[in-house]
Amino acid sequence: MNPADKNDFTQCSPQLLQQKRKISVYEDPRNLMLSSEDLLNYDWGRLQEHYASTMEKHGTAEEDLRAQISKLLEVFIAWSQTAIVRDETRALKRFKTQMQHVQNSEEDLEKKRKHYVNVVKAFESALALLNDRVRP
């Protein structure tokens, strides 16, 4: 066989070529036996180059996917941080509102307590006046 012809994968017998075209994933590999002459004449260097180039393409595609995933993760982290900051801001506002409500309630209760103390003093004064008038 001519060395220039080794680069052509179709240099097998027509029956073997036809058999290769009909290969199915479900087919029994024992039916695809190659002769030792076919194996000796096969261009293994070209197969190795083909394998290396295919693996390089897949490696490049994998690196592209990693880069895309990295960018998406950066966006997700930024979104997550924004959500955390927004939630913390809302929680702080809610806490301030609650504190203001408690302070207002305490002030209202203190005003009511002073009012009731003054009312009680007024009743005591009125009773004392009435008692002074009744004693003569």
Side-chain angles (χ1 to χ4, degrees), residues 13-92:
S13 67
Q15 295 87 4
L16 187 59
L17 181 59
Q18 190 176 23
Q19 193 177 22
K20 287 180 182 179
R21 287 183 183 148
K22 293 181 180 178
I23 294 175
S24 167
V25 263
Y26 303 109
E27 200 169 322
D28 187 8
R30 288 175 285 183
N31 295 338
L32 303 174
M33 295 290 186
L34 297 176
S35 69
S36 60
E37 184 180 324
D38 291 333
L39 292 175
L40 287 174
N41 293 330
Y42 196 76
D43 187 3
W44 295 105
R46 185 170 175 202
L47 177 65
Q48 189 175 6
E49 289 173 10
H50 178 71
Y51 175 79
S53 68
T54 303
M55 290 306 293
E56 187 176 320
K57 288 177 189 175
H58 287 292
T60 304
E62 187 176 347
E63 287 300 319
D64 290 344
L65 285 174
R66 283 187 183 147
Q68 288 176 357
I69 289 171
S70 177
K71 288 177 183 177
L72 289 173
L73 284 174
E74 288 176 12
V75 170
F76 174 76
I77 289 171
W79 171 81
S80 175
Q81 291 299 321
T82 302
I84 289 171
V85 168
R86 188 192 66 199
D87 288 347
E88 287 176 351
T89 303
R90 290 177 65 200
L92 181 62

Side-chain angles (χ1 to χ4, degrees), residues 125-136:
S125 296
L127 281 175
L129 286 173
L130 286 175
N131 283 338
D132 285 343
R133 284 190 177 176
V134 174
R135 288 190 192 177

Side-chain angles (χ1 to χ4, degrees), residues 2-16:
N2 186 355
D5 295 337
K6 283 188 175 182
N7 290 336
D8 188 8
F9 288 119
T10 62
Q11 293 299 317
C12 303
S13 67
Q15 295 87 4
L16 187 59

Side-chain angles (χ1 to χ4, degrees), residues 92-104:
L92 181 62
K93 287 179 181 178
R94 189 170 45 249
F95 177 71
K96 287 180 178 179
T97 302
Q98 289 173 348
M99 288 296 296
Q100 187 65 37
H101 174 72
V102 168
Q103 288 174 350
N104 288 340

